[in-house]
């Protein structure tokens, strides 16, 4: 945003327009009942291409993003999301992790199944994207999503968003999931998988496992 001089707002304005309580200001539909009043709009700003006027302020773009998500939330989706045992806000939290974790779209329901299986068993999610989110911007590598995670990062990033250190879901979404990730979390694959790791062929796919021993055997050699 800050590199676009013709836009009438900057990143500070945009963050202010998505801050706590703003769903009530900019949107009159279902979204305002789905976002807790003590949370920002993170996770509900639907990722898409938007056309705005050079005179439009940040709140106009925010309203468009919320309305776009609203249009994707069918009555059937909202009804069947309850079957997961999660609130819709929790679905968006988990979908945001699936969005960041799954590179190949057809794996999203399987990735979602792993996290849901772990939640049901009381296991920690241990999701790398939550550690990346907790670390934030890394000036040394100029990365928002730090790709050089080590075991030390898993232990030292002391944040409720770090699912290696804290049980359950993070307190809020870590990204804005697309409708594919939301659907995958609402309609996950039926699996017994509890682990996955990147495949060794650089395809972006993952190798899934039920047991930790299988998981270790899936390591690249």
């Amino acid at each position: 945003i800050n590199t676009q001089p013709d836009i009438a707002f900057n990143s500070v304005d945009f963050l202010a327009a998505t801050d706590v309580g703003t769903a009530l200001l900019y949107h009159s539909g279902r979204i305002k009942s789905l976002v807790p009043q003590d949370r920002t709009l993170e996770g509900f700003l639907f990722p898409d291409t938007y056309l705005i006027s050079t005179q439009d302020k940040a709140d106009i773009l925010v309203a468009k993003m919320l309305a776009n998500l609203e249009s994707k939330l069918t009555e059937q989706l909202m009804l069947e999301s309850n079957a997961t045992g999660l609130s819709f806000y929790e679905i968006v939290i988990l979908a945001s992790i699936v969005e960041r974790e799954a590179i190949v779209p057809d794996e999203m329901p399987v990735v979602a199944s792993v996290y849901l299986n772990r939640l049901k068993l009381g296991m920690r999610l241990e999701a790398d994207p939550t550690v990346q989110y907790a670390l934030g911007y890394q000036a040394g590598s100029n990365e928002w999503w730090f790709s050089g995670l080590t075991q030390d990062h898993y232990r030292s990033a002391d944040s409720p968003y770090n699912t290696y250190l804290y049980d359950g879901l993070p307190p809020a979404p870590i990204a804005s999931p697309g409708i594919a990730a939301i659907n995958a979390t609402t309609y996950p694959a039926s699996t017994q998988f509890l682990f996955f790791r990147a495949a060794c062929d650089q395809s972006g796919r993952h190798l899934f496992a039920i047991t930790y021993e299988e998981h270790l055997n899936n390591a690249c050699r």
Side-chain angles (χ1 to χ4, degrees):
I1 294 174
N2 291 342
T3 61
Q4 302 295 325
D6 294 330
I7 294 180
F9 58 90
N10 58 29
S11 59
V12 174
D13 300 325
F14 183 77
L15 289 176
T18 62
D19 207 351
V20 173
T22 51
L24 300 176
L25 298 176
Y26 302 138
H27 191 67
S28 60
R30 182 187 285 127
I31 301 297
K32 68 180 183 181
S33 67
L34 300 178
V35 181
Q37 293 188 16
D38 61 345
R39 295 290 188 269
T40 72
L41 293 178
E42 182 139 40
F44 288 77
L45 303 169
F46 194 78
D48 206 342
T49 300
Y50 295 90
L51 296 177
I52 59 172
S53 163
T54 54
Q55 282 75 48
D56 285 343
K57 300 296 185 181
D59 61 319
I60 300 297
L61 176 56
V62 170
K64 286 177 177 288
M65 299 174 89
L66 294 177
N68 195 358
L69 175 60
E70 174 90 16
S71 71
K72 306 290 192 297
L73 303 182
T74 65
E75 292 297 332
Q76 181 178 2
L77 175 64
M78 298 304 298
L79 179 64
E80 295 185 358
S81 67
N82 295 329
T84 64
L86 303 176
S87 70
F88 191 77
Y89 190 72
E90 291 172 326
I91 284 177
V92 173
I93 293 175
L94 187 52
S96 74
I97 299 175
V98 172
E99 181 73 43
R100 291 298 312 171
E101 194 75 76
I103 296 174
V104 180
D106 65 32
E107 284 191 350
M108 282 186 173
V110 186
V111 171
S113 77
V114 172
Y115 290 134
L116 288 166
N117 290 342
R118 293 178 74 93
L119 285 173
K120 289 175 183 176
L121 293 175
M123 298 173 66
R124 288 180 178 168
L125 295 183
E126 297 185 347
D128 285 8
T130 66
V131 182
Q132 293 172 312
Y133 185 88
L135 289 172
Y137 177 68
Q138 299 295 296
S141 59
N142 191 30
E143 291 177 288
W144 280 102
W145 297 95
F146 182 52
S147 59
L149 292 179
T150 66
Q151 289 297 320
D152 183 60
H153 290 116
Y154 299 143
R155 293 188 294 266
S156 63
D158 191 4
S159 162
Y161 286 91
N162 182 351
T163 57
Y164 279 84
L165 294 182
Y166 290 88
D167 297 339
L169 293 166
I174 63 168
S176 289
I179 194 61
I182 293 173
N183 281 333
T185 306
T186 304
Y187 307 107
S190 179
T191 79
Q192 293 181 300
F193 295 138
L194 295 173
F195 305 93
F196 64 91
R197 68 194 320 151
C200 305
D201 58 4
Q202 308 303 314
S203 65
R205 304 194 75 87
H206 292 85
L207 301 175
F208 296 87
I210 296 175
T211 68
Y212 187 62
E213 182 179 10
E214 290 173 333
H215 180 60
L216 292 179
N217 288 335
N218 284 336
C220 300
R221 291 176 174 81

